[in-house]
Amino acid sequence: MTHDKGCCGSVCQCFFEYATPKILVIRSKKVGTVNRLIQALIIAYVIGYVCVLKRGYQDTDSVISSVTTKVKGIALTDTPDLGLRVWDVADYVIPPQVPPTPEEEEESSFFVLTNMIITPNQTQSHCPEVPGLNCSWTCTLDADCTPGLKDVRGNGVQTGNCVNYNATVKTCEVLAWCPLESEEVNMTMPPMLADAENFTVLIKNNIRYPKFNFNKRNILPHITRDYLTHCIYNATTDPDCPIFTLKYIVSAAQEDFQTMAMLGGVIGIQIRWDCDLDMPASWCIPRYSFRRLDNKDPENNVAPGYNFRFAKYYKTANDVEVRTLIKGFGIRFDVMVFGEAGKFSIVPMLLNIGAGLALLGVVTVVCDWIVLTFMKKKHQYAEEKYSYVDDFGLLSETAE
């Protein structure tokens, strides 16, 4: 019986093929060495890297955290505007330390006032606009001013009058809180609250790994109330103390506190909880690190630091409302908590080991490629490795 090989001799024949495994033992020191070397590398990767270093035998969970802070400290200032004054936590921590809302807990931050510009005894009245902020505010005639104009960058509503700001400059008069704030920070003087570097902050951090029902806080079990009354955190001598001086935090972020206190900034307090729950719970402890978060680029120093304005209001004996305006500069501290916990579980262990051992199939592919490409007897190996059997003849003999 004859067979038409027109189609089956090309694409159709390849489609209707079945390959059965065939073991070909090649006695070669070169190929054998490559084979064992690759096997050893894969086994070392599975055992050493996946299982030991990356703990591939563990199930993992991400940390859930809450943070509360409490700042303490006293500062003494003597200024022309305020005179001799003592500052306590209610004055320099803004906003006041009240129980945070759930949204504020996510931020876990606090702000400490370090420097300020004070404009006392402001009342609702008429005064000249501050020159220099906007060229349209300077004038020579009343016609240069627009009555009722409310410039978002200005300090009040223009009255339409051009008045003397000083002996040489005229500006448009405005209805506003007068006198207007016009001072700039004097960088040659120390910050007003220079003593803020000695303030301390107690950071209370509670963490939970819900998958493993594991809870802990950074005030460790061996810490007593008496210990908290005198301890100060130091990474070398006192790493378990949860009380930090602001100067230490800023210094650990590679910044100078007095310099940063002039215009303010943002410091990140990072707490990392990486816990191996197969080990004793006492081994799960927080690790602290600190870094500056706001941009400090000497080539792009527009609007540096961190500041905002707030006012304190009161009334005089004549029932006139008066306020003291304060432009406050300070340091915002953001507490950020990271972490991952792992615990032994048979499922991830089998998955990681299985995935690693599956790589052993690469050994056969590499060795076959070497043998069939670079060996002197590659054609002989090819003939021994691949055998072709045509089943058309077998089918014909069965049919007869």
Side-chain angles (χ1 to χ4, degrees):
M1 179 177 290
T2 61
H3 306 284
D4 183 11
K5 297 182 181 285
C7 174
C8 296
S10 57
V11 178
C12 294
Q13 184 175 0
C14 296
F15 181 77
F16 292 104
E17 285 183 350
Y18 164 69
T20 183
K22 178 180 180 180
I23 299 176
L24 178 63
V25 179
I26 300 176
R27 297 186 177 92
S28 170
K29 292 183 178 180
K30 296 179 180 179
V31 179
T33 300
V34 172
N35 178 47
R36 299 306 180 196
L37 179 61
I38 299 176
Q39 286 179 339
L41 291 175
I42 292 176
I43 292 174
Y45 166 77
V46 173
I47 297 177
Y49 182 77
V50 175
C51 291
V52 177
L53 186 61
K54 291 298 182 180
R55 297 175 184 166
Y57 57 87
Q58 291 183 332
D59 194 8
T60 59
D61 192 16
S62 297
V63 68
I64 297 176
S65 168
S66 68
V67 174
T68 57
T69 59
K70 182 179 292 186
V71 180
K72 289 186 177 182
I74 298 295
L76 180 65
T77 61
D78 189 1
T79 63
D81 295 323
L82 300 178
L84 189 65
R85 177 171 175 173
V86 174
W87 298 73
D88 62 16
V89 65
D91 296 315
Y92 56 73
V93 174
I94 302 171
Q97 296 179 7
V98 295
T101 65
E103 293 78 10
E104 291 172 333
E105 283 187 1
E106 293 180 2
E107 297 180 0
S108 300
S109 63
F110 61 96
F111 176 87
V112 176
L113 197 65
T114 57
N115 201 11
M116 65 193 78
I117 297 174
I118 301 173
T119 307
N121 302 322
Q122 285 187 321
T123 60
Q124 290 278 326
S125 56
H126 298 86
C127 53
E129 181 62 275
V130 178
L133 299 179
N134 192 320
C135 60
S136 65
W137 297 342
T138 59
C139 60
T140 55
L141 302 172
D142 291 346
D144 296 330
C145 302
T146 305
L149 177 63
K150 298 183 287 293
D151 193 324
V152 295
R153 291 184 173 86
N155 292 291
V157 181
Q158 290 189 14
T159 64
N161 298 324
C162 182
V163 296
N164 291 326
Y165 178 79
N166 55 34
T168 58
V169 178
K170 285 188 174 184
T171 60
C172 294
E173 185 184 60
V174 292
L175 172 63
W177 285 97
C178 300
L180 300 179
E181 175 189 279
S182 60
E183 297 182 29
E184 295 294 333
V185 175
N186 186 352
M187 300 300 292
T188 62
M189 299 291 291
M192 183 175 292
L193 294 180
D195 291 342
E197 66 179 17
N198 299 317
F199 296 169
T200 63
V201 55
L202 167 63
I203 299 177
K204 294 188 286 186
N205 176 213
N206 295 271
I207 61 111
R208 174 174 172 80
Y209 289 106
K211 185 181 292 187
F212 308 123
N213 194 28
F214 180 83
N215 303 277
K216 201 164 187 179
R217 62 177 187 162
N218 66 328
I219 303 179
L220 303 176
H222 67 271
I223 294 179
T224 63
R225 184 181 297 273
D226 180 66
Y227 174 76
L228 281 181
T229 60
H230 66 270
C231 78
I232 295 294
Y233 175 87
N234 184 283
T236 304
T237 61
D238 220 345
D240 295 336
C241 182
I243 300 176
F244 306 78
T245 64
L246 301 189
K247 181 178 181 179
Y248 182 92
I249 294 174
V250 174
S251 298
Q254 309 300 316
E255 297 289 339
D256 177 68
F257 186 92
Q258 296 299 323
T259 301
M260 192 173 183
M262 292 296 296
L263 298 177
V266 184
I267 293 290
I269 303 172
Q270 299 171 321
I271 308 176
R272 177 166 290 279
W273 293 84
D274 288 329
C275 300
D276 184 356
L277 300 185
D278 293 323
M279 299 299 176
S282 60
W283 291 19
C284 179
I285 57 176
R287 306 292 182 185
Y288 301 95
S289 60
F290 314 91
R291 62 186 299 264
R292 184 165 184 169
L293 300 180
D294 61 317
N295 183 33
K296 195 188 70 170
D297 186 354
E299 297 181 0
N300 183 17
N301 59 355
V302 177
Y306 187 87
N307 66 80
F308 60 92
R309 290 174 175 84
F310 62 98
K312 297 185 177 182
Y313 298 84
Y314 55 96
K315 286 190 175 182
T316 65
N318 298 325
D319 201 32
V320 176
E321 187 178 25
V322 182
R323 77 175 189 182
T324 297
L325 177 66
I326 300 174
K327 181 179 181 180
F329 300 83
I331 304 174
R332 193 183 79 191
F333 296 87
D334 292 340
V335 184
M336 298 169 288
V337 183
F338 308 90
E340 186 177 76
K343 193 172 186 179
F344 175 80
S345 177
I346 190 66
V347 174
M349 184 185 72
L350 293 178
L351 289 176
N352 284 301
I353 291 178
L357 294 179
L359 293 175
L360 290 174
V362 176
V363 180
T364 303
V365 175
V366 173
C367 290
D368 284 350
W369 176 69
I370 294 174
V371 167
L372 299 176
T373 305
F374 300 105
M375 302 297 288
K376 292 181 180 179
K377 299 180 180 180
K378 57 185 177 181
H379 298 294
Q380 179 182 348
Y381 293 144
E383 293 175 359
E384 294 291 339
K385 181 174 179 62
Y386 302 106
S387 297
Y388 298 91
V389 178
D390 195 341
D391 69 341
F392 291 113
L394 298 176
L395 293 174
S396 300
E397 293 173 1
T398 304
E400 293 175 356

